[in-house]
Amino acid sequence: MRDGEEKTAIIRMFHVYRHYGNKTAVVDITFDIYKNELLFINGPSGAGKTTLLKLLYLAEPVSDGQILVNGMNLSRIARKKVPFLRRNFGIVFQDYKLIPTKTVYDNVALVLEAAGQKRRLINKKVKSVLRTVGMEQRINALPPTLSGGEQQRVAIARAVVGDPEIILADEPTGSLDAAAADHVLGLLRAYHTRGATVIIATHAQELIRKAGGRVVHLNAGRLVNMPDH
Amino acid sequence: MRYLKRALQDIRQNRFLSLVTIVTIAVSILIVSAFALFFLNANDLIDAWKKGVHIMVYLKNGVVETEVSRLQKMLHGLVGVEKVNFISRDEALKQLREQLPRQSFLLDNLKQNPLPDAFEVHLLPATRNWAKIEKLAVQLEKLPEVEEVEYGRGWLGRFAVVFNLFRLAGYALGALFFLAAVFFVANTIRLVLYSRREEVEIMRLVGAEDRFIKTPFYIEGMLQGALGGIIGLAMCLLLFLAVSSNVTPEFFGGAFQIRFLPTGMLITMVLTSMMVGWLGCFASLKQFFK
């Protein structure tokens, strides 16, 4: 969110709960995330950060409460429409979730293929985004042959190739050395500068300090600071 | 085209499982086509025999010539009758002598000709089925001038019953192999899906619709079905060539020659095996995506 810009909520959460049997991973979360915002969801391991992100792209359903994404109420969305909801997001998973049997190119192209884009456009966009993240030299490599930092950069390329409005990154620097972590953070900030809403779940205070942006703290599934509304 | 490329990639990546599916379908098609081949040729053989089927109407002694010609006209007018030949008792004896040249001395000692006058009734092709022959024979037996009617019912009737039993067993086996092949394909696709569940999950997470994920599997199943079908039929052809090279037309009295399955049936078999592949996919995908 840049100074002077009007705040428009792109994601709204109202008294959101997520239960797993007797355990509750997310407890009564209510806050808004704004367009073109750089937001950190901070908290220790097991605080519910990943679960909260999963609720946003419907990897898991909300047990109670409501979430609106771009005006779509996730509790009322038809199963058939879920893929279209997910195309609003570019997701960088904690464990990268790259398909090990597909090349770097194919992993990134998958998002555009799934969206039914034309081959020529896919080729152009994939090469461009791999150049941006510095992976154009490894275009035909398979993920298991890449380092952790390289895999994370491919994961970011896949997350941004479809020009999503919202980028979700779950512990994006968790398993990287300092240099690789800086590179990854730089990339995410660059996409934020270009206009994307970037939501990063992390327990790393250092990362937050370097990046700036709004921070919400989670502990035992609850918000522990008062977020800006 | 994109889906086909992905399907071919999947087949390459899961070579062993694909091979198991293809071999299973090929063996099923081989067995079913071998049955079909047997029935096709057995049917041809029966048809060839049916062409020679005629009804012999033996007359009582003392039927006069005018009665004979009236009867001949009447028989010729019956529905389903192609032609009627009169064989007099003298002619019948002559034919018998010709048929038994070495034993003809036995006939020389006969004081009188024991053979009756007879009509040889040839039937139209449409009448050459068992029920119609029997019906006509019963009708002829009721004529006062007729002593006996003979149409080889004993062996031909029994053969028809056995043949129909075989045919039924063939249908049942065909259905059984169809189901077994569907089951095998379903299991193979299920194993492939299981081995790639993470990939499928990633596809869903990046916004792929079910159709995008499922279509290559369907293409894969149908390709495996087509390949299995073609290989099964090729094996059947090899078997046929091996058998037919040892069977000359004279083996069946020159009445008929064994043949391979016609083109239409081959296409139907390949299409059926593709359907087996599709159905196997459908069953496992339905379960996986529910």
Side-chain angles (χ1 to χ4, degrees):
Chain A
M1 193 85 215
R2 293 186 196 91
D3 292 339
E5 269 184 46
E6 197 185 329
K7 287 180 173 181
T8 310
I10 193 165
I11 297 173
R12 311 199 73 183
M13 288 177 250
F14 302 99
H15 305 290
V16 173
Y17 287 81
R18 175 62 182 154
H19 307 294
Y20 296 104
N22 294 328
K23 288 186 179 174
T24 305
V26 170
V27 185
D28 195 20
I29 301 274
T30 299
F31 76 101
D32 291 345
I33 299 171
Y34 304 107
K35 263 191 181 165
N36 188 221
E37 186 176 25
L38 175 60
L39 176 82
F40 286 90
I41 301 172
N42 179 239
S45 294
K49 304 184 296 291
T50 301
T51 306
L52 189 61
L53 291 189
K54 282 182 174 175
L55 298 179
L56 298 182
Y57 57 91
L58 271 183
E60 291 184 11
V62 168
S63 303
D64 205 358
Q66 309 262 308
I67 298 178
L68 303 180
V69 175
N70 258 338
M72 280 183 283
N73 187 336
L74 301 195
S75 310
R76 292 186 187 165
I77 200 165
R79 194 171 175 265
K80 268 181 164 176
K81 300 278 180 196
V82 172
F84 299 97
L85 164 83
R86 287 179 180 160
R87 289 179 200 170
N88 287 291
F89 295 100
I91 309 166
V92 182
F93 300 96
Q94 192 170 5
D95 56 353
Y96 316 131
K97 288 207 189 301
L98 298 174
I99 300 169
T101 53
K102 288 187 188 289
T103 62
V104 164
Y105 178 93
D106 287 337
N107 265 285
V108 178
L110 181 66
V111 177
L112 301 175
E113 283 176 356
Q117 302 277 3
K118 289 207 162 58
R119 187 179 294 273
R120 194 176 294 174
L121 181 76
I122 293 174
N123 197 31
K124 196 176 147 193
K125 286 189 94 173
V126 171
K127 283 183 176 165
S128 161
V129 82
L130 284 174
R131 204 174 304 122
T132 308
V133 300
M135 288 299 292
E136 75 272 33
Q137 301 297 325
R138 309 299 311 270
I139 201 163
N140 292 315
L142 292 173
T145 66
L146 303 175
S147 69
E150 286 175 323
Q151 290 192 48
Q152 190 65 298
R153 279 188 275 158
V154 177
I156 291 173
R158 186 182 60 190
V160 300
V161 74
D163 295 322
E165 278 191 87
I166 307 160
I167 297 171
L168 304 179
D170 190 5
E171 299 286 5
T173 59
S175 53
L176 305 181
D177 60 41
D182 281 349
H183 191 186
V184 165
L185 181 64
L187 286 170
L188 291 171
R189 288 185 68 183
Y191 282 102
H192 168 243
T193 310
R194 286 188 200 177
T197 304
V198 178
I199 304 166
I200 301 173
T202 182
H203 65 274
Q205 295 293 341
E206 178 67 11
L207 184 74
I208 298 169
R209 193 185 54 72
K210 278 184 189 169
R214 184 160 66 111
V215 184
V216 292
H217 295 281
L218 277 183
N219 196 4
R222 293 175 189 274
L223 274 182
V224 291
N225 64 332
M226 280 298 288
D228 302 332
H229 284 280
Chain B
M1 207 53 202
R2 190 182 289 173
Y3 290 131
L4 180 67
K5 197 181 146 199
R6 273 177 54 205
L8 290 172
Q9 248 173 15
D10 287 349
I11 291 177
R12 270 200 301 273
Q13 279 170 7
N14 298 287
R15 278 187 213 104
F16 180 71
L17 284 176
S18 298
L19 193 70
V20 170
T21 312
I22 291 168
V23 169
T24 306
I25 295 177
V27 171
S28 305
I29 288 290
L30 170 66
I31 294 169
V32 171
S33 59
F35 260 90
L37 196 59
F38 168 75
F39 289 119
L40 180 85
N41 285 289
N43 224 18
D44 281 359
L45 182 62
I46 287 177
D47 279 349
W49 283 337
K50 275 182 184 171
K51 274 181 196 162
V53 166
H54 56 261
I55 300 175
M56 288 303 298
V57 181
Y58 298 106
L59 301 180
K60 287 177 179 165
N61 274 336
V63 177
V64 293
E65 206 171 310
T66 50
E67 277 297 292
V68 167
S69 79
R70 185 187 64 79
L71 267 173
Q72 188 162 13
K73 274 184 192 160
M74 190 274 286
L75 288 174
H76 204 266
L78 288 173
V79 177
V81 171
E82 189 179 27
K83 65 176 181 178
V84 179
N85 294 334
F86 175 69
I87 301 167
S88 69
R89 49 196 305 192
D90 297 336
E91 203 181 329
L93 190 63
K94 195 179 147 199
Q95 281 177 8
L96 191 62
R97 276 184 202 282
E98 283 167 7
Q99 283 165 8
L100 304 167
R102 289 181 191 170
Q103 291 85 10
S104 63
F105 66 92
L106 293 171
L107 303 173
D108 292 340
N109 297 328
L110 290 173
K111 286 179 184 159
Q112 59 173 30
N113 182 356
L115 301 176
D117 290 331
F119 287 112
E120 194 179 62
V121 181
H122 291 266
L123 305 169
L124 288 167
T127 319
R128 287 175 199 154
N129 78 55
W130 199 244
K132 286 180 181 169
I133 293 172
E134 199 153 33
K135 195 177 162 193
L136 191 62
V138 169
Q139 199 179 339
L140 296 175
E141 262 173 351
K142 285 179 186 163
L143 295 172
E145 298 86 354
V146 172
E147 178 73 41
E148 194 186 347
V149 173
E150 197 217 273
Y151 53 100
R153 67 192 130 194
W155 72 271
L156 197 54
R158 274 196 297 277
F159 184 82
V161 169
V162 172
F163 181 74
N164 282 334
L165 275 175
F166 262 108
R167 203 199 314 254
L168 275 176
Y171 288 147
L173 266 177
L176 205 68
F177 277 103
F178 182 86
L179 287 175
V182 169
F183 176 76
F184 269 100
V185 176
N187 258 337
T188 312
I189 297 285
R190 198 172 296 139
L191 283 175
V192 172
L193 278 168
Y194 186 76
S195 71
R196 292 173 48 197
R197 63 195 182 285
E198 204 183 338
E199 184 180 333
V200 170
E201 188 53 31
I202 292 169
M203 285 188 187
R204 293 174 115 179
L205 290 175
V206 300
E209 290 171 79
D210 284 356
R211 189 183 48 142
F212 176 82
I213 302 168
K214 286 176 180 175
T215 306
F217 284 108
Y218 280 122
I219 294 175
E220 194 177 325
M222 288 201 290
L223 278 177
Q224 288 171 344
L227 266 173
I230 291 166
I231 293 171
L233 289 172
M235 290 195 290
C236 187
L237 177 64
L238 287 177
L239 268 176
F240 169 78
L241 291 174
V243 172
S244 63
S245 63
N246 293 316
V247 178
T248 55
E250 288 73 38
F251 187 81
F252 296 101
F256 121 108
Q257 190 165 11
I258 60 170
R259 60 177 171 137
F260 194 58
L261 301 172
T263 314
M265 201 181 268
L266 294 177
I267 293 170
T268 308
M269 288 233 176
V270 174
L271 288 176
T272 307
S273 59
M274 285 173 82
M275 201 172 85
V276 165
W278 189 91
L279 271 176
C281 278
F282 178 77
S284 53
L285 286 170
K286 203 172 164 64
Q287 201 179 32
F288 192 81
F289 280 84
K290 75 180 173 191

